[in-house]
Amino acid sequence: MEFGRVTPHELAEIDFTLPPDPELTITTLAAAKNNSPLQVHVGCAKWGRKEWVGKIYPPKTKDANFLDEYVKHFDCIELNATFYNLYPASTIGKWKDKAASSPDFKFCPKFSQSISHIRRLKNAEEITTTFYEGILAFGDKLGPLFLQLSDNFTPKSFPELKVYLEQLPKDIPVFVELRHKEWFANDEVRQTVFNLFHELNIGAVITDASGRRDCVHMQLPTPHAFIRFVGNSLDRTDYTRVDEWVGRIKQWCDQGLQSVWFFMHQHDERYSPELADYVSEQLNQKLGLNLHRPQFIDRDKGLFD
């Protein structure tokens, strides 16, 4: 992932402190009824990483078997594959079958770029229907969906965003990722868009990337958190940032948070399993959970075993 990438020199100058919770987050969590057990999921963005062969995938694992191995280590995937292609139900059904051995596994598909980046949410009804027809084949393996808007999708397109979100099916959770800086720079714009999400029961993706601290907006329009964490090849700041996130997640849980989806990215994805493992370890310790951690072939892999 290249979004928010900085040089090593710039990295040392960044204040990674998480902002305080805005009023919307406080009121959303206070109003939430959290009678059911907290759901926490940790995963990565792709299963097709050759760099993981010999690390968490057995030596000589073939590409066709990467998903079979991935589900042994994580309980969800931020499914970026659906951004690039509209897959038929037959293909998605095969992916679902590969996750059958993991009872709690969830696929979290990204809306097709033909909807978000090419049509820019306009005249996208037919493509959206095709997208939903495909992903519904995940059945009980389907997690929340996320709609990533392009870097050049500005608040001028708020009317199109509003109309599009209002027409989406209500029975599958959706999170939206905003990227253009104007969504965060203007108080009125920021409040308007996140209040819309709240009214429509749409979640907001929080993207924690080094070079885009404005995207760490901490807005929870629903009592569900969808965090895309972008690390820097296991730099020491990766771990201190995770520690702060775990602390904030615990705070949110105490206030009424109902679910967490924590997706690990690295600019060099070979390192995603290590930091995802650390996330799960810390969540287990601080929240009293029993999240399954990735199993490394070389148990002398590093610092946190």
Side-chain angles (χ1 to χ4, degrees):
M1 186 187 224
E2 292 300 310
F3 184 73
R5 188 165 195 163
V6 299
T7 66
H9 174 73
E10 292 172 315
L11 183 63
E13 303 298 322
I14 295 171
D15 180 2
F16 285 107
T17 304
L18 294 178
D21 292 341
E23 184 63 30
L24 176 61
T25 295
I26 295 170
T27 56
T28 295
L29 296 180
K33 294 181 179 180
N34 197 11
N35 298 323
S36 57
L38 173 72
Q39 295 185 33
V40 180
H41 299 267
V42 178
C44 298
K46 299 177 181 178
W47 64 70
R49 305 305 310 189
K50 295 181 184 294
E51 310 98 307
W52 298 352
V53 174
K55 176 182 285 191
I56 59 173
Y57 298 168
K60 300 183 180 180
T61 299
K62 297 180 179 179
D63 292 13
N65 300 122
F66 282 172
L67 178 55
D68 304 79
E69 297 301 326
Y70 179 92
V71 302
K72 297 176 182 178
H73 303 282
F74 305 98
D75 67 1
C76 62
I77 181 130
E78 184 199 278
L79 191 57
N80 281 281
T82 53
F83 179 73
Y84 299 102
N85 292 290
L86 285 167
Y87 290 96
S90 57
T91 298
I92 287 177
K94 293 177 182 177
W95 292 345
K96 176 189 175 184
D97 291 343
K98 286 177 176 286
S101 61
S102 180
D104 299 323
F105 191 89
K106 301 293 183 183
F107 294 87
C108 302
K110 187 176 183 178
F111 276 72
S112 168
Q113 64 179 341
S114 58
I115 296 169
S116 58
H117 289 56
I118 298 174
R119 296 291 180 90
R120 299 174 66 83
L121 309 185
K122 294 185 290 187
N123 301 316
E125 294 83 3
E126 184 175 345
I127 300 174
T128 300
T129 297
T130 301
F131 171 74
Y132 270 82
E133 287 175 347
I135 57 104
L136 285 173
F138 281 126
D140 62 357
K141 297 297 185 187
L142 180 62
L145 318 181
F146 81 104
L147 173 66
Q148 180 190 86
L149 301 178
S150 71
D151 297 17
N152 58 19
F153 191 96
T154 76
K156 292 180 181 179
S157 295
F158 177 82
E160 289 87 348
L161 175 61
K162 182 175 185 293
V163 168
Y164 185 77
L165 295 180
E166 288 174 339
Q167 296 175 347
L168 289 179
K170 307 301 182 186
D171 56 338
I172 303 174
V174 172
F175 290 80
V176 177
E177 181 183 12
L178 302 169
R179 287 193 161 190
H180 194 279
K181 294 182 178 181
E182 289 182 16
W183 291 109
F184 312 108
N186 182 286
D187 287 343
E188 182 177 354
V189 167
R190 184 173 61 251
Q191 291 179 15
T192 298
V193 71
F194 287 114
N195 285 339
L196 171 68
F197 295 169
H198 181 69
E199 292 167 7
L200 297 178
N201 198 32
I202 298 285
V205 174
I206 300 174
T207 303
D208 187 334
S210 302
R212 284 296 307 274
R213 305 313 296 162
D214 53 344
C215 292
V216 192
H217 52 72
M218 310 307 283
Q219 301 275 356
L220 295 181
T222 69
H224 306 279
F226 191 118
I227 301 159
R228 306 182 81 211
F229 184 99
V230 188
N232 294 285
S233 301
L234 305 184
D235 182 83
R236 64 176 181 80
T237 57
D238 287 1
Y239 296 99
T240 56
R241 290 163 63 195
V242 166
D243 290 344
E244 189 168 0
W245 264 114
V246 170
R248 185 62 61 92
I249 290 169
K250 185 179 187 307
Q251 176 184 318
W252 285 348
C253 292
D254 293 340
Q255 294 172 328
L257 190 71
Q258 296 177 359
S259 71
V260 180
W261 301 86
F262 198 108
F263 291 104
M264 182 57 59
H265 294 259
Q266 290 278 341
H267 297 304
D268 185 342
E269 293 289 2
R270 80 180 72 181
Y271 299 115
S272 288
E274 284 90 342
L275 201 59
D277 179 40
Y278 183 71
V279 171
S280 295
E281 180 192 41
Q282 294 304 304
L283 287 169
N284 285 342
Q285 290 182 7
K286 300 303 190 319
L287 276 71
L289 302 176
N290 190 30
L291 300 177
H292 179 68
R293 294 170 57 186
Q295 301 299 300
F296 291 82
I297 294 170
D298 179 4
R299 295 310 299 173
D300 296 324
K301 65 178 178 60
L303 298 174
F304 298 101
D305 268 5

